[in-house]
Amino acid sequence: MNPIQLFDTESSTYTYILAAPGSDQAVIIDPVERHWERDLRHLERLNLKLAYILETHAHADHVTSAGKLREVTGAKACVPSGCGIPPADQQLSDGDVIRFGAGEEITVLHTPGHTAGSMSYLWRGNVFTGDTLLINGCGRTDFQSGSSDDLYDSVVGKLFTLPDATRMWPGHDYKDQAVSTIGWEKEHNARLAHKSKAEFAKIMSELNLPKPKLIDIAVPANQNLGLPHGA
Amino acid sequence: MNPIQLFDTESSTYTYILAAPGSDQAVIIDPVERHWERDLRHLERLNLKLAYILETHAHADHVTSAGKLREVTGAKACVPSGCGIPPADQQLSDGDVIRFGAGEEITVLHTPGHTAGSMSYLWRGNVFTGDTLLINGCGRTDFQSGSSDDLYDSVVGKLFTLPDATRMWPGHDYKDQAVSTIGWEKEHNARLAHKSKAEFAKIMSELNLPKPKLIDIAVPANQNLGLPHGA
Ligand SMILES: [Fe+2]
Ligand SMILES: [Fe+2]
């Protein structure tokens, strides 16, 4: 049971639609503001009703459409409790389970490191890792309470303990890679496979990435579910 | 059970990987030449072995990687019998069934109109329509033995008789639409929903599309599975 994977070419963000077999309910993960109408049309063509909108974290590189989609569909917006997103309907913690459709379950995994609040979501053998684990890479750890030690523990201590065949769907990809598996990442991920915590910390400390252009706009906006403040 | 949908930004072509649950076998539909390595890496990350390569037709707008993928993986290349692709391993006819994995079946539907040979493929409630039926549109019918009458019969008389919930995965999309359903297209497709054959013929005759830039290169190349002639 794969999700439907959608892409934003501006920020290279993946959005996922999870459709419950045997029901008309769906969940969307990390929807992007400028695609809210595209995503509504997807739901309409597939004859799906949106039950939940999930965020993996408060993004720094794009603005979410969670608030807009909630307004239009009545779906509940669920966010990591540690991300400072007060207007959400539900603040998620590690181990929480989101239920939708006919017996579908999404398990919430707290996977801090890219941001302190970051969550991954597990559904039917698929894990949605946001910016914690990327295909053959990982999210940066140098802002938003990021921590390379936490990210290492989240990936090596938690995500890599999932079954090898678990499909891994990232929050971004910049190389058209789309999907991987936990087994492949455990063996081949350039930053995390067969690395010690110290080796990983060194790799991350030497990245010297520029400050994301949108961070000062995107993070506050996302902490309000993408809606204008005061609106 | 959704396919994995991959995209070529140059020609807006969708490629699909169908993974058999409970086995490591996969099928790829309409792979694109310049992405053959990307697609091999997908199979590798997902730990899948390619059993079959399917073509929906001899494309005029991009070159297939079928020959290359066959060479590297040993998978069998299966093509519509009416498309003039002699080096394929299997010439498909309407009603043929392709079996892979643990009991997976792909049913072959002859859906002429965009080209005389065009086939659609049906798998687990998904139909892959190539350029016969596009989301809210359809393929052109003015070359490669195309026929608006045939396309109308293929879509209205055949594809529209599938269950409404059948997910419809097109060969191209130029508007980021990705996936639809037979039910939605039957009700809303701008060219084909609630139209008579004469109305549809009029729409198609007035399109006045330019000749595809690549047609004189792509069609002969695709009739050789994308391999150089004489190779
Ligand atoms: Fe992020
Ligand atoms: Fe075509």
Side-chain angles (χ1 to χ4, degrees):
Chain A
M1 184 53 51
N2 293 319
I4 291 160
Q5 184 181 48
L6 305 170
F7 192 60
D8 172 51
T9 49
E10 256 178 30
S11 63
S12 298
T13 300
Y14 285 122
T15 294
Y16 298 96
I17 295 174
L18 285 50
S23 114
D24 65 353
Q25 283 199 18
V27 166
I28 196 163
I29 299 179
D30 285 343
V32 173
E33 185 187 41
R34 69 189 195 99
H35 294 302
W36 70 273
E37 285 174 296
R38 174 197 74 178
D39 296 342
L40 281 182
R41 285 195 302 268
H42 271 101
L43 295 167
E44 183 206 320
R45 281 195 302 270
L46 295 167
N47 202 20
L48 293 172
K49 287 187 185 36
L50 198 59
Y52 292 102
I53 303 150
L54 306 187
E55 296 286 328
T56 55
H57 62 296
H59 312 279
D61 57 352
H62 68 274
V63 175
T64 178
S65 67
K68 186 75 194 172
L69 290 180
R70 173 173 73 171
E71 199 178 293
V72 180
T73 66
K76 286 199 170 17
C78 303
V79 302
S81 54
C83 285
I85 311 178
D89 299 286
Q90 198 177 335
Q91 300 288 331
L92 299 171
S93 303
D94 187 65
D96 282 352
V97 175
I98 294 156
R99 293 187 168 81
F100 69 112
E104 298 301 308
E105 296 191 345
I106 298 171
T107 302
V108 178
L109 300 176
H110 185 209
T111 51
H114 171 62
T115 77
S118 289
M119 297 288 182
S120 297
Y121 299 109
L122 194 58
W123 175 67
R124 284 184 174 258
N126 299 287
V127 64
F128 302 89
T129 55
D131 297 358
T132 304
L133 179 60
L134 301 178
I135 296 174
N136 201 18
C138 65
R140 59 196 290 181
T141 54
D142 58 336
F143 58 69
Q144 288 186 285
S145 318
S147 152
S148 69
D149 278 9
D150 287 354
L151 193 132
Y152 186 90
D153 292 338
S154 293
V155 172
V156 177
K158 209 160 191 173
L159 295 175
F160 281 180
T161 67
L162 295 170
D164 280 358
T166 308
R167 296 213 177 138
M168 179 244 154
W169 302 90
H172 297 283
D173 196 84
Y174 306 93
K175 293 175 182 168
D176 213 9
Q177 297 178 112
V179 58
S180 187
T181 55
I182 290 297
W184 192 92
E185 298 302 326
K186 235 161 76 177
E187 211 48 57
H188 303 289
N189 187 291
R191 292 187 185 168
L192 285 146
H194 309 294
K195 295 275 190 292
S196 70
K197 192 184 269 196
E199 287 168 323
F200 178 66
K202 186 160 182 294
I203 292 170
M204 296 309 284
S205 72
E206 290 168 350
L207 291 179
N208 279 320
L209 298 168
K211 183 177 164 180
K213 271 182 248 133
L214 278 179
I215 189 167
D216 297 324
I217 296 163
V219 173
N222 288 323
Q223 290 182 321
N224 200 37
L225 293 177
L227 298 169
H229 280 272
Chain B
M1 183 54 49
N2 293 318
I4 291 160
Q5 183 182 50
L6 304 170
F7 192 60
D8 172 50
T9 50
E10 255 178 31
S11 63
S12 297
T13 299
Y14 285 121
T15 293
Y16 298 96
I17 295 175
L18 283 51
S23 116
D24 65 353
Q25 284 200 19
V27 166
I28 197 163
I29 299 178
D30 285 342
V32 173
E33 184 186 40
R34 68 189 195 101
H35 294 301
W36 69 272
E37 286 174 295
R38 174 197 75 177
D39 296 342
L40 281 182
R41 286 196 303 269
H42 272 102
L43 295 167
E44 183 206 319
R45 282 195 303 270
L46 296 167
N47 202 21
L48 293 172
K49 287 186 185 38
L50 198 59
Y52 292 101
I53 304 150
L54 307 188
E55 297 286 329
T56 55
H57 62 296
H59 312 282
D61 57 353
H62 68 275
V63 174
T64 179
S65 66
K68 187 76 192 169
L69 289 180
R70 173 171 74 171
E71 198 178 293
V72 181
T73 65
K76 286 200 169 18
C78 304
V79 303
S81 53
C83 285
I85 311 177
D89 300 285
Q90 199 178 333
Q91 301 288 332
L92 300 171
S93 303
D94 187 66
D96 281 354
V97 175
I98 294 157
R99 295 187 166 79
F100 70 110
E104 298 300 309
E105 296 191 344
I106 298 169
T107 303
V108 177
L109 300 177
H110 185 210
T111 50
H114 171 61
T115 76
S118 290
M119 296 287 182
S120 298
Y121 299 110
L122 195 58
W123 175 68
R124 283 183 173 261
N126 298 286
V127 65
F128 302 89
T129 53
D131 297 358
T132 304
L133 179 61
L134 301 177
I135 296 176
N136 202 17
C138 66
R140 58 196 289 181
T141 55
D142 58 336
F143 57 69
Q144 286 187 284
S145 318
S147 150
S148 69
D149 277 8
D150 287 354
L151 195 132
Y152 186 90
D153 291 339
S154 292
V155 172
V156 176
K158 210 159 189 174
L159 296 174
F160 282 180
T161 67
L162 295 170
D164 279 359
T166 308
R167 295 210 179 139
M168 179 244 153
W169 302 90
H172 298 285
D173 196 84
Y174 307 92
K175 294 177 181 167
D176 214 8
Q177 297 179 113
V179 56
S180 188
T181 54
I182 290 296
W184 192 92
E185 297 303 326
K186 234 161 74 176
E187 211 47 59
H188 302 290
N189 188 292
R191 290 187 186 167
L192 285 147
H194 308 296
K195 295 274 192 294
S196 70
K197 193 183 270 196
E199 286 169 323
F200 177 66
K202 185 160 184 293
I203 292 169
M204 297 308 284
S205 72
E206 290 169 352
L207 292 178
N208 278 320
L209 298 167
K211 184 178 165 181
K213 272 183 244 126
L214 278 178
I215 189 168
D216 296 325
I217 296 162
V219 172
N222 288 322
Q223 291 183 321
N224 200 36
L225 293 176
L227 297 170
H229 280 271

